[in-house]
Amino acid sequence: MSYIKRIFLTLLILTGLSISGMPASAQDTISTAGVVFAPAPADTPKPQVSLVKNPVKKPVNAPDKKEKKKTLLAIFLAGVLGGFAALLMPCIFPMLPMTVSYFTKGADRSRGISKAITYGVAIIVIYVVLGLLITVCFGPDALNSLSTNGVFNFAFFLLLVAFAASFLGAFEITLPSKWVNKMDQESDRKGLAGIFFMAATLALVSFSCTGPIIGTLLVQAATTGALLGPAIGMFGFALALALPFALFAMFPSWLNALPKSGGWLNSVKVTLGFLELALSLKFLSNVDLAYHWHWFDREIFLVLWIVIFALMGIYLLGKLTLSHDSELKFVSVPRLFLAIIVLSFTMYLVPGLWGAPLKSVSAFLPPKATQDFDLSGGLAAAVNTVSDNGPHKYEGLFDKPKGFNPFFDYAEGLAYAKKVHKPVMIDFTGHACVNCRKMEENVWPDPKISKLINQDYVLIQLYVDDKTDLSADEQTTTPEGRSIKTIGNKWSYLQTSKFGANSQPFYVLLDPGTEQPMVDPKGAEYDIPSYQQYLESGLNAFKR
């Protein structure tokens, strides 16, 4: 069984998908999105060809460390937000005062606080171990491949739709009752062991509420490719979940300020269900782009988001009720404010149907070039990198960023750069790359940046996750035994073998004569002056 299949089965187990009426099936053969490790048959050996003609002579200082720190921080913050959201779930919030009163009853207050802190630490340990299990079992290569794997992006889409349906009240995701009963029996022990099993009981009992949040967080963390992503995400989640138990044990009078349990807890759950449904569409969009189906272009994505968020706003106003909702006699002020924010965001999305850039969410949307109806201005299509009008390899497959006309083949772009005596800007990108879309929509359109790229560089965009098969004469096996079958395989191997990096976006300013980087490569940089300085440093190096 391949590691891809193992990851999928593990995610299903972790999220406890015991959903009535939903068939479970697994295919025996799954087409992986990354480079396939498959030695050629002995009777018909494939030629072992090195795709890297001029390997980099000096070590490349890739921006991986800086980018990974940013990624891990984002995962941690997402975990913290998920933990606070879980705290407001109907399965956990009512347990908060009961659990705290258990620890604080009796004369010895300091001992009660010590028990509550131990309880919180136990919660953190349980969830961090869960994250570490995923990391240890599959390693960084497997986690990184998830972000570019079409099969798993589609599986994640279905998984998040199931989570959303659960939050909206269609069914509950539960763990086997014997697990819960066993933990509850063990919690009767005295000492640290009893407190630990109390924390484990909380984790199991609340799974119908926390399971979708944990599953979504693990999917997001795993698809970043960061080695410690799942563990960091679970640490943030558990910290936010455990902290209130310790704080309320230290300051019991704070419990009086808590709102009473009621129908508003289910409203929080339903609101998260709408958000999960909106998030799931991103994974479906990744699959559509990677396989060039063009069924899920930008305007279709926006229409669905507009409807989802409009329904959320209507729900918050009490005009839409679901099966588990209590009667809403009036709309509270916080709920009204939240409805205003959601409906305002909905209105903000509407101009995107006619081509508005929507910069605040552009990273999550399909590329603007997929939109059929575009009335927006912006960069003139005539201003581009390439001055000739001849056909370019693969140009019918990929959507060009608006205002740019890149090459999509390394050798072809390199040959043109030598012809016009310009340096090369390689953009290792991907259909599923959120930061790539953010750069293309928010940074590249800046007049100074677009002028530098269009007039001073030859732009080559190489998609490392594309699923289009190479022609038979281009398919090969590398000296390391890697089978190169798709366009994505080819450019992924070029990036890892020549430049020693596998993250996207990854920008390389190359001298076309030596095929060596003129300056250190760079990842995503949203500060326009810094990115401009980077491009100008490459030009200065080329002139020297």
Side-chain angles (χ1 to χ4, degrees):
M1 182 183 293
S2 65
Y3 67 81
I4 292 291
K5 294 171 78 174
R6 283 189 281 133
I7 295 175
F8 182 54
L9 293 175
T10 301
L11 280 174
L12 290 180
I13 293 171
L14 291 176
T15 50
L17 283 177
S18 54
I19 302 171
S20 60
M22 181 175 290
S25 61
Q27 296 181 355
D28 293 329
T29 58
I30 296 180
S31 173
T32 59
V35 175
V36 182
F37 290 81
D43 53 343
T44 56
K46 288 186 178 181
Q48 293 188 346
V49 180
S50 175
L51 300 178
V52 183
K53 295 182 179 179
N54 295 311
V56 175
K57 296 177 181 179
K58 62 178 181 178
V60 173
N61 296 323
D64 285 352
K65 290 185 179 180
K66 181 181 177 181
E67 293 302 316
K68 285 180 180 177
K69 286 182 180 179
K70 290 181 180 179
T71 301
L72 291 176
L73 178 60
I75 292 172
F76 174 77
L77 293 177
V80 170
L81 290 175
F84 283 128
L87 193 67
L88 298 178
M89 291 287 101
C91 308
I92 296 180
F93 188 82
M95 298 175 66
L96 185 59
M98 292 188 294
T99 306
V100 171
S101 63
Y102 172 81
F103 289 128
T104 56
K105 67 181 180 181
D108 195 345
R109 183 169 179 269
S110 61
R111 188 176 178 185
I113 293 175
S114 176
K115 286 182 178 180
I117 293 175
T118 304
Y119 180 75
V121 171
I123 292 174
I124 294 174
V125 169
I126 289 170
Y127 284 108
V128 170
V129 168
L130 176 65
L132 285 173
L133 281 175
I134 295 179
T135 300
V136 171
C137 289
F138 306 110
D141 292 335
L143 294 178
N144 187 67
S145 70
L146 290 178
S147 63
T148 59
N149 186 278
V151 172
F152 274 85
N153 271 278
F154 189 71
F156 293 152
F157 161 71
L158 296 177
L159 203 60
L160 294 186
V161 170
F163 291 156
S166 174
F167 272 169
L168 292 173
F171 46 77
E172 282 198 355
I173 300 174
T174 58
L175 290 173
S177 58
K178 62 180 181 180
W179 293 9
V180 179
N181 295 334
K182 181 66 176 176
M183 289 297 106
D184 189 43
Q185 292 173 7
E186 295 293 336
S187 66
D188 292 334
R189 294 184 182 183
K190 293 183 179 180
L192 294 178
I195 295 175
F196 176 83
F197 284 110
M198 279 186 64
T201 303
L202 172 71
L204 295 180
V205 169
S206 63
F207 195 82
S208 61
C209 291
T210 61
I213 298 176
I214 294 171
T216 303
L217 181 61
L218 287 175
V219 167
Q220 288 289 78
T223 52
T224 62
L227 176 61
L228 294 177
I232 295 295
M234 288 295 95
F235 174 69
F237 175 86
L239 182 65
L241 189 62
L243 196 59
F245 287 95
L247 290 177
F248 283 118
M250 294 179 187
F251 308 100
S253 60
W254 290 3
L255 288 171
N256 298 326
L258 287 179
K260 295 181 179 180
S261 300
W264 68 272
L265 291 173
N266 189 69
S267 298
V268 173
K269 192 175 177 181
V270 171
T271 301
L272 289 177
F274 281 116
L275 291 175
E276 294 238 9
L277 190 59
L279 178 62
S280 70
L281 299 181
K282 173 58 182 171
F283 292 95
L284 182 59
S285 173
N286 292 344
V287 181
D288 180 76
L289 291 169
Y291 288 96
H292 305 287
W293 294 339
H294 292 290
W295 296 345
F296 206 59
D297 292 341
R298 189 173 185 263
E299 59 265 42
I300 302 299
F301 189 101
L302 281 171
V303 164
L304 290 172
W305 263 29
I306 289 169
V307 171
I308 290 171
F309 285 105
L311 288 174
M312 186 196 300
I314 294 171
Y315 172 81
L316 290 170
L317 291 175
K319 303 302 181 183
L320 174 67
T321 57
L322 299 178
S323 57
H324 292 79
D325 285 322
S326 304
E327 182 183 358
L328 185 66
K329 296 181 179 180
F330 62 90
V331 178
S332 63
V333 173
R335 187 163 179 152
L336 177 62
F337 283 176
L338 184 57
I340 291 172
I341 292 172
V342 171
L343 291 175
S344 298
F345 178 70
T346 304
M347 295 301 295
Y348 168 77
L349 295 175
V350 172
L353 297 174
W354 291 274
L358 305 180
K359 290 186 177 182
S360 63
V361 294
S362 60
F364 299 96
L365 303 178
K368 199 172 179 181
T370 65
Q371 186 149 343
D372 296 325
F373 190 62
D374 188 353
L375 298 180
S376 65
L379 296 175
V383 180
N384 53 58
T385 305
V386 186
S387 58
D388 66 336
N389 296 318
H392 303 138
K393 194 172 184 179
Y394 304 136
E395 68 177 357
L397 288 175
F398 302 107
D399 298 304
K400 302 173 183 178
K402 186 173 182 179
F404 299 88
N405 188 16
F407 286 97
F408 298 106
D409 180 75
Y410 176 74
E412 185 181 40
L414 195 68
Y416 182 82
K418 292 177 180 178
K419 176 182 175 183
V420 297
H421 306 291
K422 287 184 178 182
V424 170
M425 175 181 167
I426 302 177
D427 171 22
F428 287 101
T429 185
H431 297 296
C433 175
V434 172
N435 292 333
C436 302
R437 301 292 84 77
K438 189 173 181 180
M439 287 292 296
E440 292 170 6
E441 296 290 340
N442 296 355
V443 178
W444 285 15
D446 181 84
K448 294 179 180 178
I449 301 298
S450 60
K451 182 179 179 181
L452 280 169
I453 296 175
N454 283 328
Q455 296 184 8
D456 298 319
Y457 283 96
V458 172
L459 177 61
I460 304 176
Q461 280 196 305
L462 304 178
Y463 281 82
V464 301
D465 60 353
D466 192 74
K467 303 301 180 292
T468 305
D469 288 333
L470 292 165
S471 60
D473 59 324
E474 288 185 288
Q475 295 185 15
T476 185
T477 302
T478 70
E480 298 86 356
R482 298 183 178 186
S483 180
I484 306 298
K485 295 182 178 180
T486 67
I487 293 176
N489 292 164
K490 184 176 182 179
W491 304 138
S492 176
Y493 178 72
L494 177 67
Q495 183 185 5
T496 55
S497 59
K498 187 177 179 69
F499 303 106
N502 64 353
S503 61
Q504 293 83 41
F506 188 75
Y507 303 110
V508 183
L509 306 183
L510 205 70
D511 186 319
T514 62
E515 296 187 43
Q516 301 294 313
M518 299 176 293
V519 294
D520 288 335
K522 197 174 189 65
E525 176 57 77
Y526 307 120
D527 183 64
I528 291 177
S530 297
Y531 195 67
Q532 179 184 351
Q533 185 179 7
Y534 168 69
L535 296 177
E536 289 174 344
S537 67
L539 283 178
N540 294 332
F542 181 71
K543 292 175 182 177
R544 288 196 300 267

